[in-house]
Amino acid sequence: MTTAPPPAAELSADEARRIALRAQGFLGAPDRRAGVRGVLRHLGQVQLDTISVLARSHELIPYARLGAVGRTTVEEAYWTEGHAFEYWSHAACILPIEEWPLFAFRRRAYRDRPQWHHELSDGAYDAVIKQLRAEGPQTATELGGAKNKGEWWDWSESKIAVERALMYGEVVCTERRGWKRVYDLAERAIPDALLHDDLDDTECLRRLVRQAGEALGVGTRADIADYHRIKGEAFDAVVEASGLVPVVVEGWGKPAWADPAALATQPRGRHRTTLLSPFDSLIWERPRTERIFGFTHRLEAYVPKQKRVHGYFAMPLLAGGKLLGRVDPAREGRTLVARQVSLDSPRAVAPMAQALREAAEWVGCDAVRIERAGRPELIAPLTAALT
């Protein structure tokens, strides 16, 4: 029986919070020269989602860290010059192209899957590959139609085939065009030096655990494993070899690991006051968000309207290293509408006003209107702060 190594450090709750903020790109001056691509490489992934309120989530991630980067600039940074690809990580995510080899374990698992929900007729898979080879990158519509005449999940054979090829790694999503995936052959889209499945499962998982630990700074087994949606047992098998070190964090009550580089220097600096996408990797895991920030947050987009507390797409407010409230935004013409504002205290009024003004300007709105607030007495001071 082996003995667990002693913790490399004992961290206060506040130190862990600041380490997490720095690791996620919020503390200290952002690397503006690296821009959106630098944010993507630093985080290791950016989650995609269909919901668009202020903007889509993959746009909100660099906005939160860099400020008002042009939305066209964001898309071009992701999808031009072969810097990124889309694959299944935490969910459907944009990933740095350098991470292609690390997902060989997942591609192999998909290829070995004994059965699929959607059946394919003989020749359908090969037909899609042949068309992509002959005609170049295409959407599912261009490949023959994304769906049949039934419900939205009733995919056409060409859509089933190309999605299967995507999972297998024979095809890669190289961009989103009008929110449709654009597919190309991996042999054409992935650089030769990266186009391989040479890493065995253990090495893939070891590197992904290390990358997740670096992106989070400090985390529990569940935090780090969830980052790329790997199983807890897989985490257990590779964490000792990953280079992450065990730590004790005040109040967590669970074993934790940290990136050694995150422990080497004190996290210092400030960050911009901003609104966060619910799919931001700083806050996407509810138990971690509660543990680090003492803030309970739930995406209510899929909750029946009458049961929502904070709104359809409530965005937490990050200010001074803490989460101080949230707002459910919408757009009406050139007006940003705060349908529901929930603030923890009056001290959050000024930061919320600042975040709303900046967000409105970023998306081309020239006015902000407050509809409701969890504390109605804060509507007047918030409105005054906005003007």
Side-chain angles (χ1 to χ4, degrees):
M1 181 177 178
T2 58
T3 303
E10 294 186 7
L11 303 173
S12 69
D14 185 66
E15 287 171 329
R17 177 182 59 84
R18 293 179 64 80
I19 285 173
L21 284 165
R22 181 176 64 182
Q24 281 285 297
F26 285 102
L27 274 190
D31 185 356
R32 296 195 178 279
R33 289 179 298 177
V36 175
R37 289 173 180 168
V39 170
L40 176 61
R41 288 193 302 271
H42 185 80
L43 297 179
Q45 60 170 291
V46 167
Q47 185 174 340
L48 290 156
D49 193 80
T50 58
I51 297 173
S52 180
V53 179
L54 280 180
R56 293 200 189 273
S57 187
H58 66 284
E59 299 172 282
L60 293 167
I61 305 307
Y63 167 75
R65 291 156 177 81
L66 301 174
V69 182
R71 297 174 68 185
T72 300
T73 300
V74 172
E75 295 295 335
E76 290 177 349
Y78 288 139
W79 300 127
T80 61
E81 300 176 349
H83 283 271
F85 69 104
E86 179 186 336
Y87 199 59
W88 297 101
S89 172
H90 183 81
C93 291
I94 303 170
L95 298 158
I97 198 71
E98 295 84 4
E99 291 184 16
W100 176 268
L102 307 190
F103 286 87
F105 85 101
R106 188 156 286 162
R107 294 191 288 271
R108 282 190 287 264
Y110 284 137
R111 293 176 205 139
D112 293 341
R113 192 170 176 173
Q115 60 183 8
W116 292 85
H117 178 68
H118 297 288
E119 295 299 324
L120 273 181
S121 61
D122 291 344
Y125 184 97
D126 291 339
V128 161
I129 300 300
K130 183 178 180 181
Q131 185 172 338
L132 286 173
R133 180 165 283 117
E135 301 179 17
Q138 296 195 326
T139 65
T141 301
E142 293 165 338
L143 284 167
K147 60 183 179 179
N148 296 318
K149 295 181 180 179
E151 300 295 339
W152 66 268
W153 61 83
D154 186 20
W155 284 357
S156 68
E157 278 213 317
S158 58
K159 173 67 171 176
I160 296 169
V162 77
E163 284 293 323
R164 193 170 297 185
L166 178 75
M167 292 179 180
Y168 291 173
E170 193 167 0
V171 159
V172 62
C173 176
T174 56
E175 66 172 300
R176 290 272 186 150
R177 188 186 301 156
W179 199 242
K180 294 180 179 179
R181 281 177 173 157
V182 178
Y183 306 92
D184 197 5
L185 297 180
E187 65 193 47
R188 201 157 46 203
I190 305 298
D192 290 343
L194 300 173
L195 185 63
H196 63 78
D197 283 358
D198 295 350
L199 303 182
D200 63 23
D201 287 11
T202 298
E203 183 61 12
C204 290
L205 293 164
R206 185 192 71 81
R207 295 192 191 191
L208 286 173
V209 164
R210 175 67 187 229
Q211 190 280 319
E214 291 173 348
L216 293 172
V218 59
T220 65
R221 175 185 191 251
D223 296 344
I224 298 170
D226 185 64
Y227 202 76
H228 291 292
R229 292 282 164 85
I230 67 174
K231 294 180 179 178
E233 306 81 61
F235 171 88
D236 296 339
V238 301
V239 65
E240 187 174 351
S242 71
L244 303 181
V245 295
V247 295
V248 173
V249 181
E250 173 193 13
W252 281 23
K254 295 181 178 181
W257 287 262
D259 171 19
L263 302 177
T265 58
Q266 290 290 327
R268 300 183 184 281
R270 299 181 179 181
H271 63 82
R272 58 188 302 271
T273 294
T274 191
L275 301 177
L276 299 173
S277 162
F279 302 108
D280 195 301
S281 50
L282 179 70
I283 58 166
W284 64 21
E285 190 188 5
R286 288 173 60 188
R288 176 177 171 85
T289 302
E290 292 176 12
R291 196 184 327 117
I292 291 179
F293 295 102
F295 188 86
T296 301
H297 187 68
R298 177 189 185 190
L299 176 66
E300 296 180 335
Y302 309 110
V303 174
K305 187 175 181 179
Q306 65 274 16
K307 294 185 178 181
R308 293 174 190 156
V309 177
H310 299 294
Y312 175 78
F313 194 75
M315 299 179 66
L317 169 68
L318 179 66
K322 298 180 180 180
L323 300 178
L324 301 181
R326 67 205 96 196
V327 60
D328 181 32
R331 293 167 65 184
E332 294 180 2
R334 293 182 61 85
T335 298
L336 189 157
V337 181
R339 289 177 171 169
Q340 170 80 26
V341 177
S342 305
L343 300 178
D344 290 349
S345 72
R347 69 188 178 93
V349 167
M352 178 61 81
Q354 177 184 342
L356 286 171
R357 283 197 305 268
E358 291 182 3
E361 183 177 355
W362 179 53
V363 297
C365 293
D366 50 25
V368 179
R369 187 177 79 246
I370 310 299
E371 282 193 350
R372 296 184 305 277
R375 297 175 60 174
E377 72 274 13
L378 295 182
I379 292 180
L382 180 56
T383 302
L386 284 165
T387 56

